[in-house]
C-alpha cells in the first residue's frame, strides 16, 4: 500500500511547524484546519499507527521515522524545482521540415541568442504527422509544418503563410493554351516523393484537370528538383516560397486550380515564452515576404 502523497505532504508541514493550526497558517496554499486533520487521520488509519499526539503536540516514534524520511525530499524540492525551471527557461525544442530549419529558423534563432546566449536548442526534422505526434507526446515546444488537415484535439495552430505551387520549365519553352496538358506531353515530370505535401497537393490539381502525369524522377529536396530541371531532365514541381531562388535558364508557371501549400505553427497547451519568441520572429518573416 502506497500512502497518498498529498497526505504525506500535509503531515510533513504539521510535523515541521509543530501542529495543525501552525501548519494551516504556513502552508504554501490555502487549506483549512479541519481538512488537514481529516486527511492526516486517513493517513494514520492507512498506516495503522498514530503519528503525533494532538495536545500538546508531540511526534510519536512512528511520526519521527516518517518525518525523518520525508524531510530531505520536501526541503530540497524548491531548489530542484528552481533548477528545473531555470533550465526550462533556456531550453527550446522545435520541430520543422529540413527546409524551414535550414532557411528560416537560423535568423530567428540568431536574434534570440543575442538576448539569451545560454539558449539550449533541439531541432527535429519532420513533417505534419511527425510534428503532431511529437506535440502530443510533449517532446517539442513548437512545431512549424505543412497544414493539410485539422490537428488533433488539444493542439493549436496558426497559419503563417500560404504559397502557390509552380512548375519549373526551361526558359525558352512557350506555354500553350493547353497549359498543364501540353507540359505533360512535352516533359517528363520531376517532383518530390509521393509522401510529401507538395506531391499530394499536385495530385489534387491533376485530378481536377483529369490528367495523369506520373513522375519520371523523384527526389528528396526542392534543390534537386531545380537542379534537374536546369540540367534539362524535364519539368519540375516546386513552390513559390520566400528565400527560394530559381536557377538561371528556367521559368516559373503557377499551377491553376491547385491547393496552396499552407505552413503553420503548432503547439500544445500554453505556449512558453521562448516558443512565443520564435513564433513572433516567424510571423515577421512571413509578413515581410
Amino acid at each position: 500500500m502506497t500512502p497518498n502523497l498529498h497526505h504525506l505532504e500535509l503531515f510533513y508541514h504539521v510535523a515541521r511547524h509543530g501542529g495543525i493550526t501552525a501548519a494551516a497558517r504556513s502552508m504554501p496554499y490555502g487549506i483549512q484546519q479541519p481538512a488537514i486533520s481529516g486527511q492526516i487521520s486517513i493517513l494514520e488509519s492507512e498506516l495503522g499507527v498514530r503519528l503525533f499526539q494532538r495536545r500538546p503536540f508531540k511526534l510519536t516514534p512512528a511520526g519521527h521515522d516518517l518525518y525523518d524520511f520525508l524531510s530531505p525530499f520536501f526541503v530540497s524540492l524548491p531548489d530542484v524545482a528552481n533548477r528545473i525551471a531555470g533550465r526550462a527557461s533556456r531550453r527550446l525544442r522545435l520541430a520543422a521540415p529540413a527546409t524551414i530549419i535550414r532557411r528560416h529558423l537560423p535568423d530567428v534563432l540568431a536574434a534570440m541568442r543575442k538576448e539569451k546566449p545560454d539558449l539550449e536548442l533541439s531541432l527535429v526534422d519532420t513533417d505534419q504527422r511527425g510534428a503532431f505526434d511529437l506535440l502530443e507526446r510533449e517532446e517539442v515546444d513548437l512545431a512549424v509544418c505543412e497544414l493539410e488537415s485539422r490537428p488533433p484535439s488539444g493542439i493549436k495552430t496558426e497559419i503563417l503563410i500560404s504559397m502557390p505551387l509552380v512548375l519549373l520549365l526551361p526558359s525558352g519553352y512557350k506555354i500553350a493554351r493547353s497549359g498543364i496538358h501540353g507540359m505533360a506531353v512535352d516533359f517528363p515530370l520531376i517532383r518530390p516523393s509521393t509522401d510529401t505535401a507538395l506531391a499530394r497537393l499536385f495530385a489534387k490539381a491533376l485530378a481536377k484537370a483529369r490528367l495523369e502525369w506520373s513522375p519520371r524522377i523523384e527526389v528528396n529536396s526542392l534543390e534537386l528538383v531545380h537542379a534537374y530541371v536546369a540540367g534539362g531532365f524535364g519539368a519540375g514541381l516546386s513552390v513559390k516560397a520566400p528565400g527560394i531562388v530559381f536557377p538561371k535558364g528556367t521559368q516559373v508557371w503557377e499551377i491553376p486550380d491547385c491547393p496552396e501549400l499552407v505552413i503553420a505553427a503548432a503547439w500544445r497547451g500554453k505556449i512558453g515564452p521562448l516558443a512565443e519568441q520564435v513564433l513572433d520572429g516567424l510571423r515577421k518573416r512571413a509578413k515581410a515576404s
Side-chain angles (χ1 to χ4, degrees):
M1 185 271 297
T2 302
N4 182 290
L5 184 59
H6 180 54
H7 295 167
L8 293 174
E9 180 192 18
L10 291 176
F11 166 74
Y12 163 75
H13 285 289
V14 169
R16 180 185 178 194
H17 295 289
I20 292 175
T21 301
R25 288 197 299 262
S26 305
M27 288 291 293
Y29 50 85
I31 184 169
Q32 300 299 313
Q33 293 181 42
I36 297 175
S37 180
Q39 292 182 54
I40 288 181
S41 292
I42 294 172
L43 176 62
E44 290 179 320
S45 178
E46 290 175 342
L47 296 175
V49 295
R50 295 277 289 184
L51 294 173
F52 55 86
Q53 176 183 300
R54 266 59 174 174
R55 289 196 180 93
F57 178 83
K58 183 181 179 182
L59 288 174
T60 64
H64 275 293
D65 285 346
L66 185 57
Y67 178 74
D68 290 342
F69 175 79
L70 295 174
S71 183
F73 171 76
F74 284 108
V75 166
S76 61
L77 190 56
D79 290 338
V80 172
N82 288 334
R83 188 163 65 248
I84 293 172
R87 188 181 179 206
S89 70
R90 65 174 185 270
R91 183 183 63 181
L92 182 61
R93 303 167 301 170
L94 300 173
T99 301
I100 292 173
I101 291 175
R102 184 169 59 251
R103 288 184 175 168
H104 301 290
L105 283 177
D107 289 344
V108 174
L109 295 174
M112 288 180 63
R113 286 189 64 197
K114 289 180 180 179
E115 300 177 14
K116 202 168 192 66
D118 60 346
L119 180 66
E120 296 179 8
L121 284 171
S122 172
L123 303 173
V124 181
D125 171 14
T126 189
D127 58 8
Q128 175 192 279
R129 182 180 300 175
F132 288 166
D133 286 344
L134 290 168
L135 287 169
E136 288 193 300
R137 298 199 302 269
E138 298 186 357
E139 293 181 10
V140 295
D141 306 301
L142 180 70
V144 183
C145 58
E146 308 95 342
L147 189 62
E148 296 182 76
S149 58
R150 293 185 64 177
S153 176
I155 292 179
K156 301 175 183 177
T157 59
E158 178 183 323
I159 293 175
L160 296 170
I161 193 170
S162 184
M163 301 169 293
L165 270 62
V166 299
L167 283 171
L168 194 61
L169 305 158
S171 58
Y173 179 71
K174 293 184 179 180
I175 301 171
R177 289 184 179 180
S178 57
I180 195 169
H181 290 270
M183 297 171 199
V185 172
D186 294 339
F187 295 107
L189 176 63
I190 307 164
R191 67 157 169 77
S193 60
T194 305
D195 61 353
T196 61
L198 278 181
R200 289 189 290 268
L201 294 172
F202 186 56
K204 292 179 181 179
L206 293 177
K208 281 185 179 180
R210 297 182 180 180
L211 174 65
E212 291 187 10
W213 191 7
S214 299
R216 189 78 59 84
I217 300 175
E218 282 193 359
V219 293
N220 64 359
S221 71
L222 289 181
E223 287 84 354
L224 288 175
V225 170
H226 300 170
Y228 274 78
V229 173
F233 285 86
L237 175 64
S238 188
V239 62
K240 198 172 182 180
I244 289 183
V245 178
F246 297 105
K248 292 180 179 180
T250 63
Q251 61 175 313
V252 174
W253 184 75
E254 194 169 312
I255 304 168
D257 299 320
C258 183
E260 294 195 340
L261 180 66
V262 176
I263 301 297
W267 64 93
R268 184 179 178 86
K270 181 176 172 58
I271 191 169
L274 290 180
E276 179 67 48
Q277 197 170 344
V278 170
L279 179 54
D280 188 54
L282 291 171
R283 287 180 186 124
K284 291 176 181 176
R285 286 182 68 86
K287 191 173 181 180
S289 61

